Amino acid sequence: MIRQPTSTDSRPAEREPGATRVRFRHRYRATGAVPTSGRPHRAEWADAAKGVCIILVVLWHVVVKDYLQIDWHIGVPVPGLWGTVGEQFLPLRMPLFFTISGVFAANAVQRPWRVVARSRIAGFLYLYAVWLLIHTAVLAAAPDFPTDRATSALGLLEQLTITPSNLWYLYALALYFTVAKVLRRAPRVLVLVPAAALSAVAAAGLLDTPGNRAGLYQNLIFFLAGLYLRPQIEWWAATATRRRLVLTSGAYVLALAAMAALGAQRWFGVWPAVSVVAVAFGVTAAAQLGRWPAASGRLATLGRITLPIYVIHMPVLALLHRLLGPVCGLDQVGRGLLVLGYPVLLTGLVIGVSLAIHRGLLAAHARWLFALPGDRRTAPRRVEAAG
């Protein structure tokens, strides 16, 4: 069983031309995405990858925070199987999410400090603080829900500053943008090597990583890789083939199996290396999804609205966890019928409810919950967690 010392997650909404939503100007032969009318085209494979990642984020939380908390009493190890399956995506989910964030951030980091500081750094920190307060209030109504929460003013201050909460993705992006902007003129090798070392040290358990600090330390390298290696990542996606998909998926499966067999999760450098293989597979798979426009289109649409799902889904799951408590009281036949598909059904429900709440909040003119007030550039028609 693979154990990852991180939790999850997404990114704030913006619409600033050239800085907020980086658009790709290349033709993607492999994905069939071709710009029209001379306008820049947003790479659908990247949005599809984000869509898959946010589904995996919600699914993992459903499994560990609700599904595995239910005493199913069915005599077969189906719940444990779901837990094991979820663990296999841990090296993929957040590293791929941060890599795509870095790809989308490539142009934004080059803009003036005043633009980056407001639309990115302050924007992400604002969203993190607002939703941390909301989570703290809502989760107080579900004291038995197994997730990190602040239970005192000191605990809240700690989550606001040094030990981020379940919303750590927003906190991380603010920090990563600051690092990338400060070091933008430094030789890339002098930035990437220390970031890789930090990831390896954190994954090996050689640093104190309470809360979600482990994810914060481990994923900087993937954000910077997406930022610095954007042309190479675009090329990798544009030239993706079925043969490469088979090879990268096989490499990922073998890496997971070897790591589990050797108990090497905590060996120095192993977890980041497996995550690199996972990202190579993830980009290839997302590009190949373009062969099925119906699937890739829906995933890409979901990938453009990851922010509301990310910030809303945990309180929704916590409240559903309380409401769905009677599941434990079903007879054995009922539990047996429900146990296999429960995580999928609940994941779909949580995402659907989150998006419905988001639409309701926008209808109530609560855009300030999804963008830093006072800047029209951060009030988009499409709310997405843009890196």
Side-chain angles (χ1 to χ4, degrees):
M1 297 263 294
I2 295 175
R3 299 291 176 191
Q4 158 79 319
T6 66
S7 173
T8 109
D9 25 334
S10 265
R11 356 197 264 187
E14 303 141 327
R15 200 175 168 213
E16 181 181 342
T20 300
R21 296 189 304 171
V22 178
R23 295 180 179 272
F24 295 87
R25 294 170 173 81
H26 305 284
R27 293 179 181 269
Y28 287 92
R29 173 171 53 82
T31 61
V34 180
T36 59
S37 305
R39 297 178 62 186
H41 182 86
R42 184 183 176 101
E44 185 167 282
W45 71 264
D47 283 325
K50 287 170 51 190
V52 171
C53 287
I54 196 64
I55 291 172
L56 292 176
V57 166
V58 178
L59 176 63
W60 177 243
H61 286 160
V62 164
V63 169
V64 300
K65 299 178 185 297
D66 180 80
Y67 180 69
L68 294 180
Q69 308 302 316
I70 298 173
D71 195 354
W72 291 95
H73 287 302
I74 58 170
V76 291
V78 174
L81 178 62
W82 267 109
T84 300
V85 169
E87 287 176 338
Q88 309 317 304
F89 291 108
L90 290 176
L92 170 70
R93 188 191 66 218
M94 295 313 296
L96 179 59
F97 219 149
F98 277 109
T99 300
I100 301 301
S101 298
V103 168
F104 282 137
N107 286 356
V109 170
Q110 303 305 319
R111 295 184 67 82
W113 256 110
R114 61 181 178 80
V115 176
V116 176
R118 177 171 178 79
S119 67
R120 299 308 182 115
I121 300 171
F124 288 121
L125 288 177
Y126 165 79
L127 289 172
Y128 174 71
V130 166
W131 283 98
L132 175 61
L133 294 176
I134 293 172
H135 278 213
T136 301
V138 175
L139 291 175
D144 297 329
F145 185 65
T147 194
D148 292 337
R149 74 192 66 213
T151 57
S152 65
L154 185 60
L156 182 60
L157 179 62
E158 182 180 7
Q159 288 193 338
L160 278 169
T161 53
I162 60 174
T163 306
S165 72
N166 287 312
L167 295 160
W168 68 274
Y169 184 85
L170 299 173
Y171 183 99
L173 284 179
L175 178 61
Y176 295 173
F177 263 98
T178 303
V179 171
K181 186 63 177 172
V182 169
L183 300 177
R184 70 190 185 283
R185 299 187 188 281
R188 292 182 176 182
V189 68
L190 297 183
V191 179
L192 292 174
V193 170
L198 176 63
S199 180
V201 167
L206 302 178
L207 276 178
D208 184 27
T209 54
N212 292 288
R213 284 193 216 167
L216 199 65
Y217 298 154
Q218 288 178 232
N219 287 288
L220 173 60
I221 181 59
F222 295 101
F223 178 83
L224 293 175
L227 186 72
Y228 292 152
L229 304 178
R230 173 183 167 182
Q232 290 80 5
I233 294 170
E234 291 177 345
W235 172 84
W236 185 265
T239 60
T241 62
R242 290 181 180 177
R243 180 174 180 273
R244 186 186 295 167
L245 179 61
V246 172
L247 291 175
T248 55
S249 61
Y252 184 32
V253 170
L254 288 175
L256 289 172
M259 184 169 63
L262 297 172
Q265 294 92 333
R266 290 281 188 170
W267 291 7
F268 186 84
V270 168
W271 190 274
V274 174
S275 295
V276 169
V277 176
V279 170
F281 158 69
V283 172
T284 303
Q288 283 291 289
L289 270 174
R291 296 179 179 273
W292 296 277
S296 65
R298 289 187 176 90
L299 287 170
T301 298
L302 191 66
R304 297 184 191 108
I305 50 173
T306 50
L307 174 64
I309 299 171
Y310 179 70
V311 298
I312 296 173
H313 83 274
M314 190 67 77
V316 168
L317 179 58
L319 296 179
L320 286 176
H321 180 71
R322 292 197 66 181
L323 293 175
L324 296 176
V327 166
C328 299
L330 293 174
D331 59 27
Q332 189 168 4
V333 174
R335 291 196 303 271
L337 292 173
L338 190 59
V339 66
L340 185 59
Y342 181 90
V344 174
L345 295 174
L346 188 54
T347 296
L349 178 61
V350 169
I351 291 175
V353 171
S354 298
L355 291 176
I357 292 173
H358 169 240
R359 288 192 293 271
L361 290 171
L362 292 185
H365 305 289
R367 289 181 177 271
W368 58 273
L369 288 172
F370 304 99
L372 182 67
D375 191 341
R376 293 180 182 178
R377 293 170 300 186
T378 59
R381 279 175 269 178
R382 293 188 313 180
V383 178
E384 57 183 295

